[in-house]
């Protein structure tokens, strides 16, 4: 893929900075003074350091969160008062959108077009949504006429919550967990991904400006084995909201089991796009470009397996390939490009390793399968379309989480449902057909938490979100988030 030099580079208004922990309202180094390097995914240069947390830092953060919950004003505030502060966080994020978007692109390598359009506005929207939602949600009540009693549910926050975060949509996903936790009245200890610490750190400034009291939100940076594991085991943490890989979820569950924490997991997937022959191919190609390569394919609901009914298979492959070749990969701050870099070397190496596996499995690379020509530095990968693999090959089964899709033909509805269900991870799927009965029938037959019919990545924040089988635990969104961050007491009153 050629790299064209055009002078359309956005003037940066942000700079990389060193990230400290944020404990009890103050930015602090690690107790033992340890740090690690933050690497720019575009230049491969170290552009900052990050405090490396351990058990000692988590202990301080949990103690601050516990004090804020038990003694501070947060737990005693009405939901209306909390909602005002949470709304203000959203307002500040909205006012500083360009800065947030640039910082996210700097830290992750993702293109600014995406962080402007999705990451930054959605972070603000998460706070606005939960500020409104929590003041309007009701509680359940039952009239028991047999015993002459009424029963109603009384909800209270669960206490201190640990939020362990991934790198792909760092602030978007953090705020998706944090806003409902705060609205419910919990206090929080956050561990951002070690690969993307900057926007979470910036958010702490915004929290302070909005009037969130000290100790309510704390951050400890670091790795899974240190800070992460200390969250899993801490007896004063009541619940963990985790987003990340299936294997990490299993480790967290194992360590957290000793203290019986509540767990909410949003984990990996291998999502099928199912395209029947009765569709408008051009329309499907446009959305499939997005569901394949948005954010360099680093979105948990991207469709990595594209199943296409045989009679339109060749035409679809040709049109998707032609459109894919138009995507330009390069500097995320240059508007001449569409896609940026992958987040880090470790992830770049993983994606590249699948190209070798695909080759060994006998795949054909219709597009991509390599770095873009002319880009010697940075974790850039060409948008890649693979064909010629049977469903069951490793590239069709394992989550690659990069700009890589496999296209696989099918003949019948039964056959494609069987392939879509033959996986341990059922997060989302996309179904394309103009036959309304078939659309519903297929959506109801596939074991996944989310089904998009003739669309993709369209979210109503009130609806349940989460995965089936090994792809998650519980649901989030609207009332589902509220249920996770609160305990309910049934109060039975004899009249
Ligand atoms: P990861 O599991 O490697 O890391 C996520 C977080 O867990 C990081 O902060 C990491 O430091 C921490 N961690 C690692 N080991 C730990 C341990 N033993 N105890 C506690 N914490 C630990 O995931 P990742 O690579 O950052 O994220 C990519 C994955 O996230 C993909 O699988 C993707 O599908 C998934 N994801 C899922 C959703 C969803 O909504 N289902 C959304 C985004 C990403």
């Amino acid at each position: 893929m050629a790299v064209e030099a055009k002078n359309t580079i956005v003037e940066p208004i942000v700079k990389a900075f060193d990230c400290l922990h944020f404990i009890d309202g103050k930015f602090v180094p690690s107790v033992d003074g340890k740090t690690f390097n933050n690497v720019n995914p575009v230049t491969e240069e170290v552009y900052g350091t990050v405090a490396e947390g351990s058990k000692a830092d988590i202990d301080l953060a949990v103690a601050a969160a516990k004090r804020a919950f038990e003694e501070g004003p947060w737990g005693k505030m009405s939901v209306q008062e909390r909602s005002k502060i949470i709304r203000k966080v959203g307002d500040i994020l909205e006012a500083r959108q360009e800065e947030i978007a640039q910082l996210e692109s700097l830290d992750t390598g993702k293109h600014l077009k995406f962080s402007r359009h999705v990451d930054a506005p959605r972070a603000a929207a998460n706070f606005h949504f939960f500020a409104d939602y929590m003041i309007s949600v009701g509680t359940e009540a039952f009239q028991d006429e047999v015993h002459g009693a009424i029963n109603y549910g009384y909800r209270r926050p669960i206490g201190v919550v640990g939020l362990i975060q991934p790198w792909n949509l760092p602030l978007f996903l953090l705020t998706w967990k944090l806003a409902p936790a705060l609205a419910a009245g919990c206090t929080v200890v956050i561990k951002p991904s070690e690969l993307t610490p900057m926007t979470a750190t910036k958010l702490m400034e915004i929290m302070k400006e909005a009037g969130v009291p000290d100790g309510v939100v704390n951050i400890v940076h670091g790795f899974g084995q240190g800070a992460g594991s200390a969250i899993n085991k801490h007896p004063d943490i009541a619940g963990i909201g985790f987003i990340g890989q299936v294997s990490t979820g299993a480790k967290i569950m194992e360590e957290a089991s000793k203290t019986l924490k509540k767990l909410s997991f949003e984990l990996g997937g291998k999502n099928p796009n199912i395209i029947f022959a009765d569709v408008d191919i051009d329309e499907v190609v446009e959305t499939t470009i997005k569901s394949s390569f948005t954010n360099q394919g680093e979105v948990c609901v991207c469709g990595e397996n594209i199943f296409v009914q045989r009679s339109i298979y060749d035409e679809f492959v040709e049109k998707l390939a032609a459109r894919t070749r138009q995507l330009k990969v390069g500097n995320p701050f240059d508007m001449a490009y569409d896609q940026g870099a992958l987040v880090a070397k470790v992830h770049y190496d993983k994606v590249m390793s699948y190209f070798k596996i695909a080759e060994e499995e006998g795949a054909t690379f219709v597009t991509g399968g390599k770095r873009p020509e002319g880009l010697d530095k940075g974790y850039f990968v060409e948008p890649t379309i693979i064909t010629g693999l049977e469903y069951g090959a490793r590239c069709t089964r394992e989550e690659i989480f990069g700009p890589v899709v496999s296209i696989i033909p099918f003949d019948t509805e039964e056959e494609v449902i069987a392939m879509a269900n033959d996986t341990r991870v059922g997060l989302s799927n996309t179904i394309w057909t103009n036959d309304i009965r078939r659309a519903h029938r297929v959506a109801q037959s596939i074991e996944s938490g989310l089904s998009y019919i003739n669309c993709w990545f369209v979210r109503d924040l009130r609806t349940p979100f989460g995965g089936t089988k090994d792809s998650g635990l519980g649901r989030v969104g609207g009332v589902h988030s509220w249920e996770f961050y609160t305990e309910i007491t049934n109060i039975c009153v004899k009249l």
Side-chain angles (χ1 to χ4, degrees):
M1 180 167 290
V3 178
E4 290 174 20
K6 287 193 186 157
N7 191 18
T8 53
I9 298 176
V10 170
E11 200 58 52
I13 57 166
V14 297
K15 271 210 226 136
F17 55 85
D18 294 340
C19 295
L20 294 173
H21 308 308
F22 185 76
I23 299 177
D24 212 6
K26 290 174 204 66
F27 287 102
V28 291
S30 292
V31 170
D32 62 10
K34 271 189 164 177
T35 60
F36 61 94
N37 288 335
N38 196 10
V39 175
N40 183 332
V42 170
T43 62
E44 301 183 31
E45 284 162 6
V46 173
Y47 61 175
T49 62
V50 187
E52 182 178 340
S54 64
K55 181 176 177 310
D57 304 287
I58 292 291
D59 285 347
L60 290 176
V62 174
K66 193 173 178 218
R67 271 195 311 277
F69 184 73
E70 291 176 354
E71 300 161 26
W74 196 246
K76 298 183 187 81
M77 265 183 210
S78 67
V79 66
Q80 284 77 6
E81 287 172 293
R82 283 201 304 272
S83 166
K84 263 190 211 157
I85 296 176
I86 292 163
R87 170 154 280 283
K88 193 154 178 210
V89 177
D91 291 346
I92 300 171
L93 278 169
E94 201 167 66
R96 291 169 66 171
Q97 265 192 56
E98 179 61 15
E99 176 194 351
I100 295 295
Q102 289 198 16
L103 203 53
E104 204 67 296
S105 283
L106 189 64
D107 212 10
T108 59
K110 69 176 69 192
H111 203 280
L112 187 59
K113 285 179 188 169
F114 186 75
S115 50
R116 274 179 175 171
H117 183 61
V118 176
D119 295 76
R122 181 58 193 278
N126 285 337
F127 282 102
H128 286 152
F129 171 77
F130 280 107
D132 291 344
Y133 188 82
M134 293 295 180
I135 52 173
S136 54
V137 68
T139 185
E140 61 201 79
F142 300 93
Q143 292 175 218
D144 176 350
E145 286 168 13
V146 176
H147 303 100
I150 54 166
N151 290 268
Y152 68 92
Y154 176 75
R155 286 195 178 268
R156 65 189 109 217
I158 61 174
V160 180
V161 175
L163 301 181
I164 303 177
Q165 294 295 307
W167 49 259
N168 64 319
L169 300 163
L171 195 66
F172 169 140
L173 291 173
L174 169 59
T175 54
W176 176 231
K177 296 280 192 197
L178 179 59
L182 294 179
C186 294
T187 58
V188 177
V189 176
I190 297 162
K191 198 204 83 60
S193 169
E194 57 274 28
L195 301 176
T196 52
M198 283 202 278
T199 46
T201 309
K202 183 58 72 182
L203 180 66
M204 297 303 103
E205 272 176 39
I206 292 171
M207 290 272 158
K208 237 181 145 60
E209 190 185 331
V212 176
D214 291 351
V216 171
V217 181
N218 305 274
I219 286 195
V220 176
H221 293 288
F223 298 93
Q225 291 308 309
S229 183
I231 289 179
N232 304 341
K233 293 176 186 162
H234 204 294
D236 291 333
I237 290 186
I240 297 179
F242 169 67
I243 306 178
Q245 301 190 49
V246 174
S247 55
T248 311
K251 280 187 204 142
I252 293 175
M253 186 182 246
E254 194 182 333
E255 292 192 338
S257 70
K258 307 287 184 296
T259 45
L260 289 171
K261 296 188 193 324
K262 282 182 94 175
L263 299 174
S264 163
F265 285 175
E266 293 168 66
L267 308 177
K270 186 75 183 176
N271 308 310
N273 287 10
I274 298 175
I275 301 167
F276 288 95
D278 64 343
V279 294
D280 171 343
I281 295 186
D282 294 329
E283 182 196 354
V284 182
V285 163
E286 270 320 297
T287 308
T288 306
I289 281 287
K290 297 193 180 99
S291 70
S292 304
F293 303 124
T294 287
N295 203 39
Q296 300 75 235
E298 300 161 329
V299 176
C300 57
V301 293
C302 275
E304 292 194 5
N305 284 332
I306 304 176
F307 295 101
V308 182
Q309 207 156 23
R310 203 173 298 274
S311 61
I312 60 161
Y313 179 83
D314 289 340
E315 185 183 351
F316 179 84
V317 172
E318 196 180 301
K319 286 188 162 168
L320 188 73
R323 192 58 191 83
T324 301
R325 288 189 195 101
Q326 292 171 356
L327 296 176
K328 293 194 168 61
V329 182
N331 179 353
F333 287 83
D334 188 336
M335 292 298 132
Y337 301 113
D338 307 295
Q339 291 201 20
L342 302 192
V343 68
K345 181 164 191 318
V346 60
H347 189 56
Y348 172 84
D349 287 345
K350 175 185 162 183
V351 172
M352 294 301 268
S353 78
Y354 276 98
F355 295 152
K356 191 151 186 300
I357 293 167
E359 231 175 88
E360 285 162 11
E361 287 179 325
T364 302
F365 289 91
V366 181
T367 65
K370 54 183 172 51
R371 293 178 65 82
E373 283 158 30
L375 286 174
D376 301 328
K377 281 269 177 229
Y379 308 120
F380 294 99
V381 175
E382 283 192 4
T384 300
I385 298 175
I386 293 172
T387 57
L389 293 180
E390 294 280 319
Y391 181 69
R394 278 185 66 189
C395 286
T396 68
R397 281 204 167 274
E398 298 170 16
E399 186 187 44
I400 301 173
F401 213 53
V404 188
V405 292
S406 293
I407 314 185
I408 302 160
F410 72 91
D411 293 298
T412 66
E413 186 179 317
E414 294 70 29
E415 179 196 5
V416 78
I417 290 171
M419 288 193 284
N421 280 336
D422 183 16
T423 173
R424 283 302 312 157
V425 281
L427 181 55
S428 83
N429 61 71
T430 306
I431 299 161
W432 289 92
T433 176
N434 285 320
D435 177 339
I436 189 166
R437 290 185 174 157
R438 176 162 61 192
H440 287 278
R441 204 165 54 227
V442 175
Q444 291 178 20
S445 304
I446 298 180
E447 297 149 359
S448 63
L450 179 60
S451 198
Y452 294 109
I453 296 175
N454 298 337
C455 61
W456 179 74
F457 210 26
V458 179
R459 283 281 293 134
D460 178 325
L461 301 186
R462 294 167 297 187
T463 59
F465 183 88
T468 61
K469 302 193 265 192
D470 293 352
S471 193
L473 208 57
R475 294 290 182 272
V476 289
V479 72
H480 306 279
S481 297
W482 190 54
E483 283 176 349
F484 180 72
Y485 294 111
T486 57
E487 283 291 3
I488 188 162
T489 302
N490 183 63
I491 299 183
C492 175
V493 190
K494 181 95 169 82
L495 300 175

